[in-house]
């Protein structure tokens, strides 16, 4: 029993360190956004925070309540912001708006991944969609 408690404590510390590092990165990039007014930093902040929340939720560290509904739908709620900010960051970083065909393909993929999959998850369990 003591080994399990120690292991859980080790995991809790690891999750807290991970969250702390991501939050520091997000704050730094938020500072860069305000200093440079470059949209890419704001997109990165959204991506980092969304990815952190999903990663922690998948490992049973849900910040917004312990209700069964929140635990069941937390990833579903935070997945679209993660996808939109990740693709927005990629579009901005790779300058895809300079290549109209690639930009349109990226927008279609964002729509499919950010809207269709979460809506389908309301009717089909996520593990079946991934499979």
């Amino acid at each position: 029993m003591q080994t399990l408690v120690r292991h859980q404590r080790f995991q809790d510390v690891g999750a807290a360190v991970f969250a702390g590092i991501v939050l520091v990165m997000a704050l730094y990039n938020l500072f860069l956004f305000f200093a440079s007014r470059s949209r890419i930093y704001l997109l990165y902040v959204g991506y980092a925070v969304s990815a952190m929340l999903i990663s922690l939720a998948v490992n049973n560290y849900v910040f917004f309540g312990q209700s069964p509904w929140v635990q069941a739908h937390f990833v579903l709620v935070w997945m679209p912001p993660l996808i939109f900010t990740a693709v927005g960051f990629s579009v901005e970083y790779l300058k895809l708006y300079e290549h109209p065909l690639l930009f349109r393909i990226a927008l279609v993929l964002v729509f499919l991944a950010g809207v269709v999959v979460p809506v389908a998850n309301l009717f089909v369990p996520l593990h079946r969609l991934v499979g």
Side-chain angles (χ1 to χ4, degrees):
M1 187 62 132
Q2 290 175 347
T3 303
L4 290 174
V5 170
R6 263 190 307 227
H7 180 68
Q8 183 62 42
R9 231 180 268 148
F10 181 73
Q11 281 187 314
D12 292 346
V13 168
V17 167
F18 168 71
I21 290 171
V22 172
L23 288 175
V24 167
M25 286 176 21
L27 288 173
Y28 175 70
N29 280 281
L30 198 59
F31 167 75
L32 290 175
F33 166 72
F34 286 121
S36 69
R37 298 289 184 215
S38 179
R39 201 173 77 128
I40 195 166
Y41 296 113
L42 191 59
L43 290 168
Y44 185 74
V45 168
Y47 169 72
V49 170
S50 297
M52 176 196 67
L53 290 173
I54 288 175
S55 176
L56 292 174
V58 166
N59 290 297
N60 293 323
Y61 295 102
V62 180
F63 291 112
F64 302 110
Q66 297 298 323
S67 75
W69 190 90
V70 169
Q71 289 182 352
H73 294 91
F74 189 83
V75 172
L76 176 66
V77 170
W78 280 99
M79 191 57 75
L82 173 69
I83 292 169
F84 291 137
T85 55
V87 172
F89 176 80
S90 299
V91 165
E92 191 77 23
Y93 183 74
L94 297 173
K95 299 185 184 334
L96 289 180
Y97 45 82
E98 295 175 359
H99 307 283
L101 179 63
L102 291 175
F103 185 67
R104 286 191 201 117
I105 291 171
L107 288 179
V108 168
L109 291 174
V110 167
F111 178 77
L112 289 174
V115 176
V116 174
V117 172
V119 169
N121 183 236
L122 293 172
F123 306 104
V124 179
L126 187 59
H127 67 277
R128 288 194 181 156
L129 287 176
V130 172

